[in-house]
Amino acid sequence: MSQDTVRVVIVDDQALMRAGFRALLDAEEGIEVVGEAADGRQGVELARRHTPDVALIDVQMPVMTGIEATREIAADPRLAGVHVVILTNYGLDEYVFDALRAGAAGFLLKDTEPAELLQAIKVAARGDALLSPAITRRLIGEFVARPPDRTTAPGLEILTRREREVTALAARGLSNEEIAAHMVVSPFTAKTHISRAMIKLGARDRAQLVVFAYEAGLVEPRRR
């Protein structure tokens, strides 16, 4: 197996769905499915056994939901390198924001085109945010029009002014290149500020910065 092979576990209570994902992923060079599970509890155990790069986890399952499984994986220091991608039938539903808050790197619709699924897995494995800027904007528009939960957010004082600025811009759905243009800095500098903010906040990935920005009141959601 190549050192660059992306190792994936699939967690879904529908056997047919697991088989379909496995067939697609196993056919792709550079991706290997290392295990399957039928509920969230098994999924967490599978993640601990194999420490995959990516865990594809259905949001609604028996025994333990995908959100609960995500929360357990995110809380385990041994699984810091496991990037959870939530699978959902429902698009931008009420579960997505909760999943991101729990520690998911992003989410995918189960009817996502095969090429998009394969690309998403590779993006998540690199530790990049699976939410594209366009999806982030939609997510914000649908889910964060609610009072921020400032009681659970880390204090803003741990971030420098520049780090707060890039966090707010990321939460508005801007890419690194767009952030760099807005701040009149290089894309590398923008990425460095984002990385430092993530480290200070203990964010697993860029998607978590979006959650932090709204929960801390760093940016305010647009009201409908």
Side-chain angles (χ1 to χ4, degrees), residues 115-132:
E116 293 178 9
L117 171 65
L118 295 171
Q119 178 61 23
I121 287 173
K122 293 173 183 177
V123 168
R126 292 198 302 266
D128 294 336
L130 181 54
L131 301 177
S132 69

Side-chain angles (χ1 to χ4, degrees), residues 148-179:
D149 184 5
R150 291 182 175 84
T151 61
T152 63
L156 288 175
E157 67 278 357
I158 63 176
L159 299 181
T160 66
R161 180 181 62 81
R162 286 301 232 183
E163 289 163 357
R164 293 186 199 183
E165 186 177 359
V166 296
T167 299
L169 292 172
R172 293 190 179 105
L174 273 65
S175 66
N176 284 354
E177 290 72 21
E178 291 169 331
I179 291 173

Side-chain angles (χ1 to χ4, degrees), residues 68-199:
E68 292 169 334
T70 299
R71 192 174 290 115
E72 282 212 19
I73 290 171
D76 191 335
R78 297 168 298 175
L79 303 180
V82 178
H83 305 287
V84 175
V85 176
I86 290 290
L87 298 167
T88 174
N89 285 317
Y90 309 105
L92 294 174
D93 60 30
E94 63 185 273
Y95 300 108
V96 174
F97 193 75
D98 290 338
L100 293 176
R101 184 184 283 127
F107 70 97
L108 286 172
L109 294 176
K110 286 189 176 181
D111 62 358
T112 295
E113 291 294 324
E116 293 178 9
L117 171 65
L118 295 171
Q119 178 61 23
I121 287 173
K122 293 173 183 177
V123 168
R126 292 198 302 266
D128 294 336
L130 181 54
L131 301 177
S132 69
I135 292 294
T136 302
R137 292 185 186 107
R138 288 177 60 199
L139 177 70
I140 291 166
E142 291 289 334
F143 294 105
V144 300
R146 63 186 74 177
D149 184 5
R150 291 182 175 84
T151 61
T152 63
L156 288 175
E157 67 278 357
I158 63 176
L159 299 181
T160 66
R161 180 181 62 81
R162 286 301 232 183
E163 289 163 357
R164 293 186 199 183
E165 186 177 359
V166 296
T167 299
L169 292 172
R172 293 190 179 105
L174 273 65
S175 66
N176 284 354
E177 290 72 21
E178 291 169 331
I179 291 173
H182 182 91
M183 297 176 65
V184 196
V185 297
S186 71
F188 176 80
T189 299
K191 185 175 181 180
T192 298
H193 285 311
I194 289 172
S195 296
R196 287 175 178 167
M198 287 172 55
I199 291 170

Side-chain angles (χ1 to χ4, degrees), residues 12-50:
D12 195 304
D13 61 324
Q14 299 179 35
L16 191 59
M17 190 65 67
R18 295 197 308 273
F21 280 125
R22 180 161 205 145
L24 175 64
L25 299 181
D26 279 343
E28 177 72 7
E29 185 176 355
I31 296 178
E32 179 192 16
V33 177
V34 295
E36 299 178 24
D39 63 57
R41 171 55 60 199
Q42 293 177 8
V44 173
E45 293 171 356
L46 200 64
R48 287 177 175 146
R49 189 179 316 133
H50 295 287

Side-chain angles (χ1 to χ4, degrees), residues 40 57-61 64-71 84 86 102:
I57 301 181
D58 186 24
V59 71
Q60 290 185 300
M61 291 181 295
M64 176 184 282
T65 69
I67 293 173
E68 292 169 334
T70 299
R71 192 174 290 115
V84 175
I86 290 290

